[in-house]
Structure formats: structure tokens, C-alpha cells
């Protein structure tokens, strides 16, 4: 790494590993609930497990984005982080807010709005924390020696993500209005500005790992930005089908949502084309494997599976079923989890001086996690199709249908174990790599 201050990224990544491990635990609790083994109900009801599972996902992904930013921005602008002390304070306060929220869920202290469950008091602390983060990064860019497209788009995307958190804090007692504003946060994050974060980090990794000219790679970012905003903003309408909004959202949401896979397809094409034209044989082959895998899985999960059930004529049956879980799991994994794990795989050997990326455990982590998640998604998908037919078409009772889905959840748990062994192997390699070195590596 160019600058010693970049090692702050390591500690954000360490938080990622801890939160990812906890997320898996709550995922297993929910899976066993679906099988009828809700033995922890008195202590961890299903709604609490789901809230923790979802929010731990968001928290570790955001922590990863911040850690990546603390590593990438100094490298791109050729300057130390403006205030390392404030960066550590920001990390600690982020963890405190996150832990408080998770504990609060167990004590029934939350708002009950999916993905935005944390209490309003903690919302304000989140805003303060993110403003501190943006201030540190903004000053770093301002004082930097150079400006790059990658650094500016990354900062803009993070700034926009912070701005779009605010609509979720609009206070309303109307269910339709609440859903309207809530999707401004959730959708415009994951199918809007987070795609820009993904594109920026993908561009950075390809520049470092392939040796292809920066201008060639960065021009693709502008194309992806155009596709993202063309489809993503009005594509929010596919969340407005059934919440009481005007009828025209059926047409707007359906049309623009069908365009959303184009941005992910563009990412996949440009990633594969750049890798084929690479002029550098980078020694960290696992980082390149994760990067290419990210682009492919993002298109499969967020692009293809998203399109499969986004049209109103299909969504009227699949909305809120396990078909949605099928799409959601692979979309979050491919687009956002894998880009964070790609960044960690690339930066960890540089920060620690280890060669852990060459080990069997590192290779096993990639293949086990991806084989496991594909199997899980297939289980969710098959269960979802059966659920749609029995619940939505035959109008059978939920508990009657649940009995028919036990086979699929049994296979889901088996494949989740495979996935978890891959994640545990990744966490093992992270720990085994050791702490970041104090000596700056050029």
C-alpha cells in the first residue's frame, strides 16, 4: 500500500467478517423455523431473527464499502487519509450503533419496517456517523494530488447513498406513504447508487489486476451510470404495484424494471473483455477470480432473476414469496457481498504481507461459497414455485403449504452448510493473514 493510513481499511474488513458470521447464525435460525423447529422462539422469534439477518447484511456491506473507500481513495488521489484518528472514531461509533440496534431488536425496540427497522434515535446517529465518514473522505479528495473518475464516482455514490437514507426518516402514519418513501431508500440503494459503488470498485480492481489502461476501463463507468439511472430510478415503480399507489406505476415500474438487467449485463461484458485483454499477470489470482465471479453472479442474481419476476403479470403471484428470496439472496451475494470479498482478497496480502491468497483455504472459500449459494438459490426458487402454486393459485393455508416445502428447506439447510464452510474458510484466511504491517509497502 502507498500510505500507512490505508490500514484503517483492515479494521473495517474485520468488522465485516464478524458481522457476516453472525448473519449466518440468524439465517440458520430462520431456516429451521421453516422446517418447524422453532425451538428458540421464546428468545429469538422469527421476526427478530429476520430483522437481525437483514440488518447485519446491510451493516457488514456498508462497513465493507467504507473500508474499501478508505483504501481506494488515498491510492487514487495519492494522499494520506485526512484524519486517521477520526476514521477510527467513525468505525467505533458505527459498531456501537450497529450492536445497539441488534440488541434492541431482541428487546422489541425497533420500528418494524423491513430493512429500516432501527429506532429513530439510532437513525440520527447513523446520519452523524455517515456525515463524519463523508467529511473525512471529502477532505482527503480535496487535498489529494490528483483526481480520477474512479475516486469521484465512488465518493458521489456514497454521498448519494447517504442522501437517500433521509426519505426513510420521513414521519408518516399512512401505510402507502410509508412504503413509498421506504423504497426510495431500499430500492435506490441496491438498484441505484450501490451499483455505482460496485462499478467503481470493479473498475479499481480491474485496473490493478489486469494492467489495462485506466481510460479504457473508466469509460465503462459512464455507460453503467447512464444505464443505472435510466432504469433504476423509475424502476422503483415495481415496488409500488400493490401498496396503494396510482395504477400508472404498473406500466412505469414494469417497463423500466425490465431495463435494469442491462447495467449488470454491461458490467459482466466489460469485466470479461478487460480480463481477456489484460497485459498484467497479477500474482493474486484469487482476487481476479472473485472479481470476475462478482460480475457474473451479479448479472445472474440482480439482473436475470430480478427480471424473471418483475413484470406485474408475474409479480402479482410471486410478490412476497420465496421467489423473492431466491432473487434477493443471489442479487445481494453477487453484486455486493462478492465485491467486498474481492476487495478484501486483493488488499489483505498488501496490508499484511502474507501470501494467504495462494492457499487451499482461499480457493476453497470461493468455490464452496459460490456452489453453496447457487444451490441455496435453486432451493429457494423451487420452493417458491411450489408456494406460488399452492398458496396463490389453490389458496391453501400457509401452514398446510409449509409442510409441502420441508423437503426444499431441508436441501436449503444442507447447501447453506456448504456455503457456510466457504465463508468460514474465508474468515480463517483473514485471521491467518495477521494484522496489517506498520511498514509501508510500495
Amino acid at each position: 500500500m502507498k500510505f500507512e493510513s490505508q490500514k484503517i481499511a483492515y479494521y473495517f474488513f474485520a468488522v465485516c467478517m464478524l458481522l457476516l458470521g453472525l448473519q449466518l447464525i440468524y439465517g440458520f435460525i430462520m431456516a429451521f423455523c421453516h422446517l418447524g423447529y422453532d425451538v428458540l422462539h421464546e428468545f429469538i422469534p422469527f421476526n427478530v431473527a429476520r430483522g437481525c439477518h437483514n440488518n447485519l447484511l446491510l451493516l457488514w456491506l456498508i462497513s465493507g464499502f467504507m473500508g474499501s473507500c478508505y483504501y481506494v481513495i488515498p491510492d487514487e488521489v495519492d494522499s494520506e487519509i485526512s484524519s486517521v484518528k477520526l476514521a477510527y472514531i467513525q468505525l467505533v461509533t458505527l459498531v456501537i450503533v450497529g450492536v445497539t440496534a441488534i440488541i434492541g431488536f431482541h428487546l422489541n425496540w425497533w420500528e418494524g419496517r423491513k430493512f429500516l427497522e432501527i429506532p429513530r434515535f439510532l437513525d440520527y446517529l447513523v446520519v452523524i456517523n455517515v456525515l463524519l465518514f463523508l467529511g473525512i473522505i471529502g477532505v482527503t479528495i480535496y487535498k489529494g494530488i490528483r483526481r480520477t473518475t474512479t475516486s469521484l464516482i465512488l465518493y458521489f455514490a456514497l454521498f448519494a447513498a447517504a442522501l437517500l437514507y433521509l426519505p426513510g426518516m420521513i414521519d408518516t402514519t399512512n401505510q402507502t406513504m410509508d412504503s413509498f418513501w421506504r423504497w426510495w431508500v431500499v430500492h435506490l440503494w441496491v438498484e441505484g447508487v450501490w451499483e455505482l459503488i460496485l462499478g467503481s470498485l470493479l473498475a479499481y480492481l480491474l485496473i490493478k489486476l489486469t494492467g489495462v489502461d485506466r481510460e479504457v476501463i473508466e469509460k465503462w463507468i459512464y455507460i453503467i451510470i447512464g444505464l443505472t439511472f435510466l432504469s433504476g430510478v423509475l424502476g422503483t415503480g415495481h415496488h409500488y404495484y400493490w401498496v396503494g399507489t396510482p395504477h400508472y406505476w404498473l406500466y412505469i415500474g414494469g417497463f423500466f424494471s425490465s431495463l435494469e438487467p442491462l447495467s449488470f449485463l454491461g458490467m459482466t461484458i466489460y469485466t470479461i473483455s478487460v480480463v481477456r485483454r489484460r497485459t498484467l499477470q497479477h500474482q493474486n489470482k484469487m482476487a481476479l477470480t472473485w472479481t470476475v465471479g462478482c460480475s457474473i453472479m451479479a448479472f445472474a442474481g440482480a439482473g436475470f432473476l430480478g427480471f424473471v419476476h418483475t413484470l406485474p403479470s408475474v409479480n402479482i403471484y410471486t410478490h412476497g414469496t420465496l421467489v423473492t428470496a431466491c432473487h434477493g439472496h443471489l442479487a445481494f451475494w453477487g453484486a455486493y457481498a462478492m465485491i467486498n470479498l474481492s476487495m478484501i482478497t486483493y488488499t489483505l496480502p498488501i496490508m499484511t504481507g502474507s501470501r494467504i491468497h495462494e492457499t487451499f483455504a482461499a480457493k476453497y472459500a470461493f468455490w464452496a461459497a459460490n456452489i453453496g449459494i447457487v444451490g441455496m438459490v435453486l432451493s429457494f426458487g423451487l420452493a417458491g414455485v411450489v408456494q406460488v402454486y399452492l398458496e396463490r393459485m389453490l389458496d391453501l393455508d400457509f401452514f398446510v403449504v409449509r409442510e409441502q416445502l420441508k423437503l426444499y428447506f431441508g436441501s436449503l439447510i444442507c447447501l447453506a452448510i456448504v456455503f457456510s464452510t466457504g465463508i468460514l474458510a474465508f474468515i480463517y484466511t483473514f485471521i491467518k493473514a495477521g494484522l496489517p504491517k506498520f511498514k509501508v509497502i510500495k
Side-chain angles (χ1 to χ4, degrees), residues 190-203 206 217 220-221 223-228 260-275 291-299 302-303 334-336 339:
V190 301
E191 295 175 71
V193 293
W194 278 25
E195 289 183 32
L196 304 187
I197 298 173
L198 167 62
S200 300
L201 296 179
L202 206 56
L206 290 173
I217 292 176
W220 278 94
I221 296 182
I223 297 173
I224 291 167
I225 290 171
L227 290 172
T228 297
E260 286 186 37
L262 293 177
S263 59
F264 287 100
L265 179 61
M267 287 185 195
T268 305
I269 292 172
Y270 107 76
T271 300
I272 294 174
S273 65
V274 165
V275 170
T291 302
V292 175
C294 168
S295 68
I296 295 171
M297 297 292 269
F299 171 68
Y336 306 122
I339 194 62

Side-chain angles (χ1 to χ4, degrees), residues 229-252:
F229 280 97
L230 172 67
S231 60
V233 174
L234 290 175
T236 311
H238 70 237
H239 296 290
Y240 296 157
Y241 292 160
W242 325 118
V243 298
T245 52
H247 191 71
Y248 55 73
W249 281 113
L250 291 173
Y251 305 104
I252 296 174

